[in-house]
């Protein structure tokens, strides 16, 4: 089945700890995105990548980092600099030249 | 003024009702208009998308875009309890992709 796989489904972070959220897609999409979703707010863009080895900051990139070493993979690291990391994180992808994004099932991150 | 406005609801309707969900937007450059359905604790699922103005129908769902009024709608006919979810509108113009905050819908059996 083609799709976007996010793991883990639930993640807990201790104070001062960095954690990495995984996003893998087998849709052969060129572009990948990370969003943060908080209750009562729309999706906010953290980072996006149009091609391998290149990525751009979104609206709320502070305290996050990404890499894009492979077309299929776009992991997100939530660093200790992100003081309010508790949220639902969504990964999405789209094909080149298309404005339509498809989403994974999400990772819920909480702070211990 | 927000770029996209969407009534957060919650909207409660009886089973079988026709549901109307709406978004207004301010940027006339938007060309693609999407509706996503999101169940609790799940990722958004693309329901429909429309390019530019007009209507698009898919089963019980109809999407309408009125670019002159900067207004989009999603109609659900014969609503079912399984339609209970949050519905997000989204719109794009090239690399700019904006989401509404979502409308919570509850269809009562």
């Amino acid at each position: 089945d083609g799709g976007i796989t996010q793991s883990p489904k639930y993640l807990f972070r201790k104070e001062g700890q960095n954690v990495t959220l995984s996003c893998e897609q087998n849709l052969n999409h060129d572009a990948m995105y990370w969003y943060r979703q908080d209750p009562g707010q729309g999706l906010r863009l953290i980072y996006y990548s149009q091609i391998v080895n290149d990525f751009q900051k979104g609206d709320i990139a502070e305290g996050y980092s990404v890499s894009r070493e492979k077309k299929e993979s776009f992991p997100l690291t939530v660093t200790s600099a992100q003081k309010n990391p508790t949220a639902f994180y969504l990964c999405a992808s789209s094909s080149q030249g298309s404005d339509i994004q498809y989403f994974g099932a999400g990772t819920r991150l909480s702070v211990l | 003024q927000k770029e996209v406005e969407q009534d957060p609801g919650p909207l409660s309707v009886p089973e079988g009702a026709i549901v109307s969900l709406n978004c207004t937007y301010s940027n006339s450059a938007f060309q693609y208009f999407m509706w996503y359905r999101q169940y609790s604790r799940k990722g958004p699922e693309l329901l429909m998308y429309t390019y530019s103005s007009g209507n698009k129908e898919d089963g019980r769902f109809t999407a309408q875009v009125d670019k002159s009024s900067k207004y989009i709608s999603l109609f659900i006919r014969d609503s079912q309890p399984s339609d209970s979810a949050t519905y997000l509108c989204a719109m794009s113009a090239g690399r700019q992709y904006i989401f509404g905050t979502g409308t919570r819908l509850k269809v009562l059996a």
Side-chain angles (χ1 to χ4, degrees), chain B residues 13-53:
Chain B
V13 301
E15 183 175 357
I18 296 174
V19 176
S20 172
L21 304 167
N22 312 294
C23 288
T24 58
Y25 63 95
S26 57
N27 187 348
S28 58
F30 289 137
Q31 293 279 30
Y32 279 91
F33 302 90
M34 282 70 65
W35 285 97
Y36 290 87
R37 177 175 62 195
Q38 186 175 22
Y39 291 113
S40 181
R41 300 178 183 271
K42 303 289 186 185
E45 169 196 10
L46 180 68
L47 271 178
M48 301 179 70
Y49 69 90
T50 310
Y51 178 73
S52 195
S53 281

Side-chain angles (χ1 to χ4, degrees), chain A residues 9-10 35 37 40-43 48 50 56 88 90 97-106 108, chain B residues 31-32 34 36 38 40-46 49 88 92-97 99-102:
Chain A
K9 193 172 181 179
Y10 300 97
Y35 291 92
Q37 187 176 36
Q41 299 195 41
L43 276 66
Y48 66 100
Q50 299 286 332
Q56 286 77 41
F88 191 47
L90 290 160
S98 171
D99 283 21
I100 311 303
Q101 294 185 17
Y102 297 88
F103 285 85
R108 187 164 300 276
Chain B
Q31 293 279 30
Y32 279 91
M34 282 70 65
Y36 290 87
Q38 186 175 22
S40 181
R41 300 178 183 271
K42 303 289 186 185
E45 169 196 10
L46 180 68
Y49 69 90
L88 303 167
S92 70
R95 294 188 177 185
Q96 186 184 17
Y97 209 96
F99 290 87
T101 52

Side-chain angles (χ1 to χ4, degrees), chain A residues 31-51:
Chain A
M32 297 186 74
Y33 311 81
W34 274 106
Y35 291 92
R36 171 179 171 140
Q37 187 176 36
D38 295 281
Q41 299 195 41
L43 276 66
R44 291 185 289 167
L45 183 64
I46 304 173
Y47 269 98
Y48 66 100
S49 168
Q50 299 286 332
I51 56 171

Side-chain angles (χ1 to χ4, degrees), chain B residues 1-94:
Chain B
Q1 183 189 10
K2 286 186 179 180
E3 284 203 90
V4 177
E5 299 270 6
Q6 185 174 10
D7 188 332
L11 179 62
S12 292
V13 301
E15 183 175 357
I18 296 174
V19 176
S20 172
L21 304 167
N22 312 294
C23 288
T24 58
Y25 63 95
S26 57
N27 187 348
S28 58
F30 289 137
Q31 293 279 30
Y32 279 91
F33 302 90
M34 282 70 65
W35 285 97
Y36 290 87
R37 177 175 62 195
Q38 186 175 22
Y39 291 113
S40 181
R41 300 178 183 271
K42 303 289 186 185
E45 169 196 10
L46 180 68
L47 271 178
M48 301 179 70
Y49 69 90
T50 310
Y51 178 73
S52 195
S53 281
N55 295 359
K56 189 171 185 179
E57 188 173 322
D58 184 2
R60 296 185 295 111
F61 298 89
T62 300
Q64 285 186 355
V65 175
D66 182 348
K67 290 192 75 178
S68 62
S69 302
K70 298 190 180 71
Y71 189 85
I72 69 171
S73 301
L74 177 71
F75 297 96
I76 306 174
R77 290 183 298 281
D78 188 24
S79 55
Q80 302 295 310
S82 58
D83 295 326
S84 298
T86 296
Y87 290 80
L88 303 167
C89 64
M91 42 208 75
S92 70

